[in-house]
Amino acid sequence: MNTMRAIGQDVLGGPEVLKEVRPERPRPRPNEVLVRVRAAGVNPTDWKHRANGGFLGEPPFVLGWDVSGVVEAVGIGVAAFRPGDEVFGMLSYPFGHGSHAEYVTAPARTFTHKPAGVDHVQAGALPLVSLTAWQALVERADLRPGQLRASVERTFPLAEAARAHELGERGRTTGKLVLVVD
């Protein structure tokens, strides 16, 4: 079995329930992309699901919806991406979770090419907050191009996901928290 590192949980609770796990590395199915994760955002929905299960129910599970990384493989029917492409996106919410890991698969439509001028940390911070901002600012407040940028406060290695959850949950941040996978 080909495994990978991920941050998962077997029980609901505080940041202390997060631990490194070794699930099987996913394979892309038709119309899916396998991404080697370089950065994955930590959002309030992550710590809320960690604490009470939310839409996911009971663990075990690996959290994370925001992701930035490099295409490792593509499934049959994927024409927009090829191995080596840098991509970012938001896994289908709420059931497409799992970006707090070394690899993740998702439908190709989930991803877009990462702009060359945006690093993986910035790209990993953008998906959910950008969607929220787009809905609030563009659809409602007529935001103009170039006025939106992620404020990344701090990055954490994947193994320190519990620290990111604890910091974010306690409201001790002024910007985005991002997990970095080396």
Side-chain angles (χ1 to χ4, degrees), residues 15-80:
E16 70 280 354
V17 304
L18 298 173
K19 63 182 181 178
E20 186 172 307
V21 295
R22 295 283 182 162
E24 187 172 346
R25 182 174 146 182
R27 295 179 192 187
R29 295 181 300 196
N31 299 311
E32 285 189 339
V33 175
L34 172 66
V35 173
R36 183 186 185 291
V37 177
R38 299 298 308 194
V42 179
N43 294 295
T45 194
D46 293 301
W47 60 78
K48 290 174 183 173
H49 280 86
R50 184 210 66 235
N52 67 35
F55 298 115
L56 304 180
E58 291 295 318
F61 47 71
V62 173
L63 295 170
W65 285 271
D66 290 352
V67 62
S68 181
V70 179
V71 174
E72 187 83 6
V74 298
I76 295 169
V78 175

Side-chain angles (χ1 to χ4, degrees), residues 149-170:
R149 178 171 158 69
S151 173
V152 175
E153 177 172 327
R154 193 160 172 198
T155 62
F156 293 87
L158 182 64
E160 295 180 20
R163 287 183 55 212
H165 274 250
E166 182 177 1
L167 196 66
E169 187 171 10
R170 292 187 179 174

